[in-house]
Amino acid sequence: MSQFFYVHPDNPQVRLISQAVAIIRDGGVVIYPTDSGYALGCQLENKQALERICQIRRLDDKHNFTLLCRDLSELSIYARVDNSVFRLLKNNTPGAYTFIFKGTKEVPRRLMNPKRKTIGMRVPDNKIALALLEELGEPLMSTTLILPGNEVAESDPEAIRDQLEHAVDLIMNGGYLGEQPTTVVDFSDDEINVVRVGAGDPSPFE
């Protein structure tokens, strides 16, 4: 049975954030709010926790995972970012975007797209998610919480609890979140390519 924290969306309780990070560092799988619905997260290097996430979502080895970063300096450790792209990102983060980059050698191979060697990167505009990342001190391996058979992210933490309280270690209730997928921008080739238009304004990248 998972723990269930009611976390204030504007002023996340320090004690609860610390407890959540302890669960992540102990190999736990957590469900937490982002600016694009709820997501599943675990520690970057934890293979067993990643396998549990794949079971919950029924993902195969071709799934593109995302690293949630607290800021751009962290992002640039794991992605190959040139100066002009860095400036563009600086003006548009945090925000409802997922950026696709060629991964650096710091990214575990199992998280990258096997053919393209790419990884999704995010700096989320959500106070709970950012507090979690700040306390953790490293990126969070993450994937949107879309249950098998569904096409949209889960947005109701009470409904999530009913379905997944035996499958994860912690559910962080940050309130009801509407369906708001990220805008996906691919920087992995020479040209910038807007792959999906979502909540983030695509115009800076077009």
Side-chain angles (χ1 to χ4, degrees):
M1 179 96 55
S2 66
Q3 296 193 61
F4 194 79
F5 293 173
Y6 290 92
V7 187
H8 196 286
D10 296 318
N11 298 295
Q13 300 94 318
V14 174
R15 174 180 56 85
L16 295 181
I17 295 297
S18 295
Q19 288 177 353
V21 166
I23 289 169
I24 292 167
R25 287 190 176 134
D26 199 35
V29 171
V30 302
I31 293 172
Y32 66 99
T34 75
D35 50 352
S36 62
Y38 280 85
L40 286 154
C42 71
Q43 200 166 24
L44 188 61
E45 299 288 348
N46 196 304
K47 190 177 178 186
Q48 286 179 310
L50 180 67
E51 287 170 356
R52 286 172 61 198
I53 288 174
C54 290
Q55 286 175 342
I56 291 167
R57 282 207 48 194
R58 294 185 199 153
L59 300 173
D60 60 23
D61 60 2
K62 297 177 182 63
H63 179 75
N64 290 313
F65 287 98
T66 300
L67 299 185
L68 248 72
C69 300
R70 58 189 156 162
D71 56 32
L72 289 185
S73 62
E74 199 168 68
L75 184 148
S76 59
I77 295 170
Y78 296 89
R80 296 178 192 164
V81 186
D82 67 29
N83 289 339
S84 61
V85 169
F86 193 89
R87 284 194 296 273
L88 190 56
L89 297 183
K90 192 171 183 182
N91 292 334
N92 293 281
T93 54
Y97 298 98
T98 300
F99 303 113
I100 298 172
F101 287 101
K102 296 282 189 193
T104 67
K105 63 180 185 301
E106 302 298 326
V107 181
R109 184 180 290 175
R110 63 182 171 275
L111 297 184
M112 285 197 276
N113 180 296
K115 286 187 178 158
R116 300 180 62 217
K117 301 292 183 268
T118 53
I119 184 73
M121 311 289 290
R122 291 206 58 208
V123 182
D125 189 13
N126 177 282
K127 289 179 179 174
I128 296 172
L130 286 171
L132 200 60
L133 292 166
E134 192 65 43
E135 179 73 14
L136 185 63
E138 63 181 54
L140 193 62
M141 201 301 300
S142 185
T143 186
T144 306
L145 179 53
I146 302 173
L147 292 173
N150 294 352
E151 294 184 3
V152 296
E154 295 298 311
S155 53
D156 182 350
E158 298 292 345
I160 293 169
R161 184 182 198 175
D162 290 342
Q163 295 181 79
L164 293 175
E165 67 177 343
H166 295 288
V168 299
D169 300 285
L170 169 65
I171 299 168
M172 301 179 78
N173 181 342
Y176 182 87
L177 304 174
E179 167 56 22
Q180 43 198 353
T182 58
T183 292
V184 179
V185 186
D186 190 342
F187 288 99
S188 63
D189 294 319
D190 293 335
E191 293 183 2
I192 299 171
N193 183 22
V194 177
V195 178
R196 178 181 75 196
V197 176
D201 177 10
S203 59
F205 305 98
E206 291 175 330

